[in-house]
Amino acid sequence: MDATQASSSSLSFMLRLILSRMWQGLVVLLIVSALTFALLATAGGDAFTALRGDPSITEETIERLRRVYGLDQPLVVRYARWLGGIARGDMGYSFFYQVPVASLLRARLVNTLWLAAVALLLAGGVSLALGAWAARRAGSWVDRLCELVIVVAASTPRLVLALLALVFAAQTSLFAVNAPSSAQAALAATSLARLLLSASVLCVPLLALFLAQTREGVGAALAEDFVRVARSKGLPERVVVLRHALRAALNPLITIFGYSIGFTISGSVIVETVLNWPGLGQLSVVAVRSRDVPLLMGVVLVTASAVLAGNLLADIALRANDPRLRRTGARPDTLALRAATEASAPS
């Protein structure tokens, strides 16, 4: 009975958490979209401003086009119309590509999510393996190697990394990064070599963040009393590190992992532009240059939604790893590493 009640309480708490985060997410999306719309209007000009440089197009034609697309209306009216379309599932029509925004975002979102997922997996896998190894051998060459990797990865600009990857691709002829962004090129961009190279560039700053946290977290956990008890019982060192110390250090890492989703997606703009990866980052650059407001608003909306979804997944993973969070409802970002190690200590 107690187990049934605990399971029901845990499920109810998770449902309340998801509903609460969804409500907060809607408010955040509304604020972000309103600010973005206002900033774009403040910047001046619209999708038809560039046409004024064409002597074959009269001012009357430009004004007629602006009336047709509703660009002559006040800012509040334009935003209300856009918001009403979003409520109906209509993201508008791209001025630059002359296709519905939703059809553009669908394929580009998949490409960006693949890129971000591979980058996060690469950074997380290398960080867990190398960080745990360095924590077990403090002061060794592995530990010094970790320090060097953290410093280099954190201090190297992503633009420099992307340019180095561009030179590497050109020298090895793995793929044509300068190919035009056509449908055929977009299909070719899904090749494993191109994905791994782009994701490797994207994961370098994440590697510094994850590796530093893993190294410090596992090192602190290995000094705890419950690890000494586990070792005194004769457990293999691999079991001590993986089942006790590493799990104890996971809470801060999970929080950073969830918040890094937004950092990864926003950082993909440079990587996608330099390496010609057909994703949301590259699409946002085109939208800004062409002043394509519906397209840029769609990119902002989808990107913000992905960030909120990543934070929600991080919250759920934290509560799955630490049962105390399900009982107290405490916020994960207020947890200290000491509390996390105590929560996972064996009885």
Side-chain angles (χ1 to χ4, degrees):
M1 181 177 178
D2 291 340
T4 303
Q5 290 178 349
S7 177
S8 176
S9 176
S10 176
L11 180 61
S12 176
F13 179 81
M14 284 295 184
L15 289 176
R16 291 197 305 271
L17 172 68
I18 293 173
L19 292 175
S20 174
R21 292 294 187 269
M22 289 179 64
W23 169 249
Q24 294 174 9
L26 288 176
V27 175
V28 170
L29 290 177
L30 184 63
I31 296 174
V32 169
S33 65
L35 289 175
T36 304
F37 210 95
L39 288 174
L40 290 175
T42 305
D46 52 44
F48 303 111
T49 300
L51 297 179
R52 289 189 168 91
D54 191 342
S56 63
I57 301 177
T58 63
E59 188 68 25
E60 290 76 11
T61 302
I62 296 175
E63 290 301 323
R64 185 168 63 253
L65 288 172
R66 295 184 75 250
R67 285 195 299 271
V68 169
Y69 287 96
L71 298 179
D72 61 330
Q73 298 295 322
L75 173 63
V76 177
V77 175
R78 298 202 307 271
Y79 178 70
R81 287 180 177 177
W82 177 84
L83 197 61
I86 293 296
R88 297 189 303 270
D90 181 13
M91 304 187 75
Y93 203 80
S94 171
F95 297 136
F96 183 81
Y97 290 99
Q98 292 296 300
V99 294
V101 171
S103 64
L104 275 173
L105 295 180
R106 195 175 298 116
R108 298 299 185 105
L109 176 62
V110 172
N111 287 339
T112 295
L113 289 180
W114 269 112
L115 185 63
V118 174
L120 287 168
L121 287 176
L122 285 174
V126 173
S127 299
L128 288 175
L130 192 57
W133 189 12
R136 289 175 56 191
R137 293 170 172 82
S140 65
W141 69 269
V142 179
D143 195 23
R144 292 193 294 271
L145 176 63
C146 275
E147 293 180 355
L148 178 62
V149 170
I150 292 171
V151 172
V152 173
S155 58
T156 306
R158 187 171 277 145
L159 178 60
V160 174
L161 296 172
L163 292 175
L164 289 174
L166 187 65
V167 173
F168 173 77
Q171 293 295 326
T172 57
S173 300
L174 288 177
F175 46 79
V177 292
N178 293 322
S181 298
S182 60
Q184 185 176 1
L187 291 175
T190 59
S191 64
L192 183 60
R194 190 185 188 113
L195 176 62
L196 288 177
L197 184 62
S198 303
S200 298
V201 174
L202 194 60
C203 82
V204 171
L206 299 174
L207 179 63
L209 185 63
F210 293 170
L211 184 56
Q213 180 60 56
T214 303
R215 178 169 163 265
E216 294 298 325
V218 175
L222 288 174
E224 294 291 328
D225 292 337
F226 72 88
V227 172
R228 299 190 185 97
V229 172
R231 283 171 173 164
S232 67
K233 292 180 180 179
L235 294 177
E237 187 66 16
R238 178 176 58 85
V239 175
V240 172
V241 173
L242 295 180
R243 293 188 57 184
H244 299 284
L246 188 57
R247 185 184 176 187
L250 275 183
N251 269 11
L253 195 60
I254 291 174
T255 302
I256 295 174
F257 188 87
Y259 293 155
S260 296
I261 294 178
F263 174 75
T264 305
I265 294 176
S266 62
S268 68
V269 174
I270 296 176
V271 177
E272 291 179 3
T273 302
V274 175
L275 298 179
N276 198 23
W277 179 268
L280 289 178
Q282 188 188 69
L283 194 64
S284 66
V285 174
V286 175
V288 171
R289 287 177 177 174
S290 60
R291 301 188 182 184
D292 194 338
V293 174
L295 179 57
L296 187 57
M297 291 298 299
V299 172
V300 170
L301 190 65
V302 170
T303 303
S305 300
V307 173
L308 293 172
N311 293 341
L312 175 60
L313 291 176
D315 282 347
I316 294 175
L318 279 168
R319 285 161 175 80
N321 184 63
D322 193 340
R324 293 178 313 151
L325 292 174
R326 298 195 295 270
R327 294 194 298 267
T328 64
R331 290 188 58 83
D333 49 10
T334 61
L335 288 181
L337 178 63
R338 181 180 58 83
T341 57
E342 293 175 357
S344 60
S347 57

